[in-house]
Amino acid sequence: MRIGFIGSGNMVGAIASGAVQSGTVSGEDVWLTDRSGKSAPALAKRIGAHVAKSNSELAKTCDLIVLGVKPAGITAVADEIAKSLTSEKTVISLAAGIKTSTIEDHVGNVPVVRVMPNVNAQIGQSMTGIAAGKHAGDEQVAKAEELMGAVGETMVVEESQFAAFAALAGCSPCWLYAIVDALARAGVKHGLTKDAATRIVAQAMLGSAALVQAELQEGQIPANLMDRVSSPGGTTVAGLLAAQEAGLAPALVKAVDAAVKRDNELG
């Protein structure tokens, strides 16, 4: 299978590199383009891929075409490659907020699959959502799962739920960074260095996430873990109640609401 990436920014770099390193695809079967003409050659050299002369040439050559351009440029690229596509090919879009139907309006009956990885793809720890357009079936979804599985976990969701998925998986890393930074600054307030405090909180978050995943397999939810670590009259429950009084949960719900609203506006 030949895979083409239109756009060669950080996310495409992470996906293409992960796919080659995992053996999902050979570098010889990867084609790249980018608007500046700089990123694609650098990435191609790194992973042993090809640089296509144009987006149209890439679309003619490849079986799987990944649109890695910004949302504002998606329809223009779709128009550019439409004549080079057939129903035997699959288009995968990485663009936030752009529905499969929008792309289908420009490429016809070509199968379109929408995916939403997150920034953690660069270390192989993405949580990627996958939604199929009306012309895409199990075969096309499987191709997307195989490609995105090279950079982390995947989950197939209905496109009607995609905005919520994108908020929880695509946007939340930024909010989690903010939480890490806020806790680290509190540590600085009490005498720790910023570096030490950040390392402490990051490891605590990493371990906590791993424990949540492990406990989910046993039917446990985060609330059960909260109860388990909140000793009566202890420091943890005192801090938890203070955070709740300050609006921790409502603030996070509002963040999700705002992200979902903006995603719907983009589409």
Side-chain angles (χ1 to χ4, degrees):
M1 179 174 64
R2 293 178 172 182
I3 302 177
F5 294 88
I6 297 178
S8 298
N10 292 334
M11 184 58 73
V12 165
I15 296 168
S17 297
V20 171
Q21 290 171 6
S22 68
T24 300
V25 66
S26 166
E28 284 293 316
D29 290 325
V30 174
W31 272 257
L32 306 161
T33 64
D34 77 285
R35 189 170 58 180
S36 71
K38 297 179 180 179
S39 300
L43 178 58
K45 182 178 180 180
R46 192 164 77 243
I47 65 174
H50 308 277
V51 177
K53 294 179 181 179
S54 67
N55 293 338
S56 295
E57 180 191 67
L58 180 147
K60 288 179 182 178
T61 303
C62 298
D63 307 300
L64 195 65
I65 297 95
V66 180
L67 306 182
V69 299
K70 294 185 182 301
I74 280 290
T75 55
V77 170
D79 286 336
E80 182 182 356
I81 67 173
K83 291 183 179 180
S84 301
L85 300 173
T86 70
S87 59
E88 301 301 313
K89 298 177 182 287
T90 301
V91 172
I92 292 180
S93 172
L94 301 177
I98 305 299
K99 294 180 173 61
T100 56
S101 59
T102 299
I103 300 171
E104 289 165 347
D105 287 342
H106 295 263
V107 300
N109 64 349
V110 177
V112 177
V113 179
R114 183 178 174 188
V115 305
M116 176 54 63
N118 67 28
V119 66
N120 299 323
Q122 62 188 294
I123 58 168
Q125 292 292 329
S126 178
M127 182 66 231
T128 300
I130 299 173
K134 65 180 179 180
H135 302 300
D138 293 343
E139 180 182 352
Q140 289 77 29
V141 169
K143 290 178 181 178
E145 288 183 290
E146 182 180 13
L147 176 63
M148 301 312 300
V151 291
E153 298 294 323
T154 64
M155 180 181 291
V156 178
V157 298
E158 295 294 329
E159 191 165 14
S160 61
Q161 299 174 328
F162 217 69
F165 180 95
L168 294 180
C171 302
S172 67
C174 177
W175 310 332
L176 295 174
Y177 302 150
I179 291 171
V180 170
D181 189 67
L183 289 172
R185 290 183 187 280
V188 172
K189 176 183 177 181
H190 291 282
L192 293 169
T193 66
K194 185 66 180 295
D195 179 70
T198 301
R199 289 175 59 197
I200 291 167
V201 177
Q203 179 57 41
M205 181 174 283
L206 180 66
S208 298
L211 183 58
V212 167
Q213 288 192 324
E215 292 292 317
L216 279 174
Q217 304 302 315
E218 303 299 324
Q220 299 296 305
I221 61 175
N224 300 134
L225 296 176
M226 291 166 64
D227 290 343
R228 194 183 301 173
V229 299
S230 296
S231 301
T235 56
T236 300
V237 71
L240 177 62
L241 292 174
Q244 290 177 338
E245 184 178 358
L248 176 62
L252 294 174
V253 172
K254 285 185 177 181
V256 172
D257 290 346
V260 169
K261 179 181 178 182
R262 181 56 180 151
D263 188 284
N264 289 327
E265 290 171 349
L266 289 171

